[in-house]
Amino acid sequence: MLFRSVAVLTRAAGKGHREIVQMLIDAKADVNAKTKDGSTALMVASQCGHFQIVRSLLAVGADVNAKASSGDTALIGACRKGHKEIVQLLIDARTDVNATIDRTGNTALLVAIYNGHTKIVRMLIDAKADVNAKTDTGATALMAAVDPVGQTDVVQMLIDAKVDVNAKDPIGITALMKASSVQLPNALSSDIVRKIVHGKTEVVRLLIEAKADVNAVDFYHKTALERATSGGLTQIVRMLTEAGAT
């Protein structure tokens, strides 16, 4: 049976209509057909968290590495929404864990970090995701974990995975520099500010222990110590100076 619109299968997959998806599969629907934005049924089901549908689509040969027009893959969509069981399904199906979103260069690892999905970060690292990959703007996974809130668990995972703690973005900024400064909206409560400062302080400690260069300078000749001093981050200033920052 031919279907006039690929939206039939994609819509059913996105809505979680498992029986309808199976009926369409049995009727020989093209599981790799794409909508106008390049999405496939697998991408939509993965992002929407429909585990059984994802498994059914994979079982009949859905392309695990297909890309939408944006560059999104099924894995990236699942990572964005935090669907860890689906992430594991896709990894087991040999998805490319280092595929990038075309317009940004973000990988699944970066997307998981940006969205705070720590368990998925662990899964991706275990699947050999490139911890040193850079986005189109030069950001790394470590930089993403450091700023704006300081994800200490993720930073430690990346350090354990031998991330380059001294990688720089195009203007020379390192993860340590980002961790040594706090730029927050005035509307945040004092409790939230304290938590963020505490998180960044812990990140600075981890980076110093991992031999981050405390005297690295960016293209404007600013160091981590200057940033911490400007922000009045007393404990970070103390840690940096004790580590040899000048």
Side-chain angles (χ1 to χ4, degrees):
M1 182 184 296
L2 296 176
F3 294 91
R4 292 183 178 276
S5 173
V6 297
V8 176
L9 178 60
T10 307
R11 187 178 298 117
K15 293 290 185 180
H17 298 317
R18 183 183 173 190
E19 291 185 4
I20 294 175
V21 169
Q22 191 60 55
M23 288 171 60
L24 295 170
I25 289 173
D26 292 343
K28 308 302 181 186
D30 181 358
V31 295
N32 290 313
K34 293 186 174 184
T35 60
K36 289 182 179 179
D37 68 358
S39 296
T40 64
L42 181 64
M43 292 178 203
V44 174
S46 297
Q47 180 154 305
C48 292
H50 301 310
F51 178 89
Q52 295 296 344
I53 292 176
V54 171
R55 188 163 65 176
S56 296
L57 291 166
L58 290 172
V60 293
D63 183 356
V64 73
N65 289 315
K67 281 191 171 188
S69 302
S70 64
D72 269 19
T73 63
L75 179 65
I76 289 170
C79 288
R80 183 177 292 113
K81 296 297 185 180
H83 302 309
K84 59 182 183 295
E85 294 85 1
I86 291 175
V87 169
Q88 190 60 58
L89 262 185
L90 297 169
I91 289 172
D92 292 343
R94 300 185 182 281
T95 188
D96 180 1
V97 295
N98 292 313
T100 59
I101 300 174
D102 297 340
R103 66 181 184 276
T104 62
N106 283 324
T107 62
L109 180 61
L110 280 151
V111 168
I113 293 170
Y114 288 141
N115 288 281
H117 301 309
T118 305
K119 290 182 179 179
I120 291 177
V121 171
R122 174 78 272 164
M123 294 163 67
L124 293 168
I125 290 175
D126 288 345
K128 309 302 181 186
D130 183 358
V131 295
N132 289 311
K134 288 189 174 185
T135 67
D136 291 350
T137 60
T140 65
L142 185 60
M143 292 173 190
V146 164
D147 200 40
V149 296
Q151 300 179 50
T152 53
D153 289 345
V154 173
V155 170
Q156 187 62 64
M157 287 180 199
L158 292 168
I159 290 172
D160 292 343
K162 310 300 182 187
V163 72
D164 180 1
V165 295
N166 291 312
K168 293 186 174 185
D169 71 9
I171 59 172
I173 294 176
T174 65
L176 182 61
M177 292 176 193
K178 286 181 175 288
S180 300
S181 62
V182 178
Q183 296 178 342
L184 302 172
N186 294 329
L188 291 181
S189 70
S190 57
D191 284 344
I192 293 175
V193 171
R194 277 194 295 271
K195 287 179 180 178
I196 292 173
V197 171
H198 174 74
K200 288 215 164 187
T201 302
E202 282 301 297
V203 166
V204 168
R205 180 183 63 78
L206 291 173
L207 292 172
I208 290 173
E209 290 177 354
K211 309 302 182 186
D213 183 357
V214 296
N215 287 310
V217 296
D218 65 15
F219 286 3
Y220 301 100
H221 306 290
K222 291 189 68 175
T223 64
L225 181 59
E226 289 179 78
R227 285 175 166 79
T229 301
S230 296
L233 303 175
T234 306
Q235 190 171 351
I236 291 177
V237 169
R238 182 180 300 113
M239 292 166 66
L240 289 168
T241 54
E242 288 176 353
T246 58

